[in-house]
Amino acid sequence: MFAIVREPIHVGSVIEAVVDRNAGAIVTFLGTVRELTNGKKTVYLQYEAYESMAQKKLQQIGREIVARFPHAKVAIVHRVGRLDITDIAVAIAVSTPHRADAYEANRYAIERIKEIVPIWKKEYWEDGEMWVGDQKETVRYDGGAPREEEV
């Protein structure tokens, strides 16, 4: 299961996608919308994605994990649209025969999402707003959303 969705993420479905009789561990990660970012009070976030490419990149991350951990099962779902405080933005589940591998694979997944998946967010604060150009927050789009040539 690798998906970009507009509705709330059903965590149970993400976990069920990786259940395996030979797995000794399932590790889940839920990325949620926090209220304070760098001292600013967030009102809500708006996520946008180049959806077809984002889904392919999520699948690529799954393949990378299985290449490193051959018995792993991976599911990643990222939500787009308006997300309020405490909403789940991303859910990752990884199962492996041993817990250490599941933890490592899950952390790898979230870091790779931030590196290669074309998802952007606009942060809305009490006193303004800003497009964050990438999920590692190293690029800003002061003039608005990314232009097509920047995707």
Side-chain angles (χ1 to χ4, degrees):
M1 169 188 289
F2 301 96
I4 302 295
V5 299
R6 296 192 174 277
E7 300 301 320
I9 296 171
H10 299 285
V11 176
S13 298
V14 178
I15 294 168
E16 280 208 17
V18 302
V19 170
D20 186 307
R21 295 172 62 87
N22 295 307
I26 296 174
V27 173
T28 58
F29 170 82
L30 303 177
T32 59
V33 178
R34 66 179 168 263
E35 185 172 46
L36 291 175
T37 303
N38 298 323
K40 288 190 170 197
K41 185 173 181 181
T42 302
V43 179
Y44 67 93
L45 300 179
Q46 180 75 31
Y47 280 94
E48 292 188 11
Y50 176 8
E51 292 186 34
S52 61
M53 179 61 75
Q55 187 163 344
K56 289 176 185 174
K57 291 296 185 178
L58 294 178
Q59 292 168 344
Q60 174 186 329
I61 293 166
R63 288 191 304 271
E64 291 173 2
I65 289 170
V66 171
R68 290 179 66 177
F69 306 98
H71 300 290
K73 284 192 171 180
V74 183
I76 306 171
V77 179
H78 202 298
R79 187 171 169 196
V80 295
R82 179 186 167 134
L83 279 75
D84 293 314
I85 305 306
T86 74
D87 283 351
I88 297 170
V90 61
I92 303 167
V94 178
S95 67
T96 61
H98 304 284
R99 70 179 174 271
D101 290 345
Y103 277 110
E104 186 178 341
N106 199 294
R107 179 168 186 133
Y108 178 86
I110 190 61
E111 296 304 328
R112 285 295 279 161
I113 288 168
K114 291 179 172 286
E115 288 174 357
I116 69 169
V117 180
I119 296 173
W120 308 274
K121 69 180 175 183
K122 188 172 190 178
E123 296 187 8
Y124 290 84
W125 307 298
E126 291 180 314
D127 63 348
E129 59 193 47
M130 181 186 76
W131 277 102
V132 177
D134 64 356
Q135 291 205 43
K136 292 193 110 177
E137 300 186 7
T138 58
V139 177
R140 292 176 45 167
Y141 294 118
D142 294 324
R147 295 182 306 273
E148 185 143 339
E149 64 270 11
E150 294 173 313
V151 175

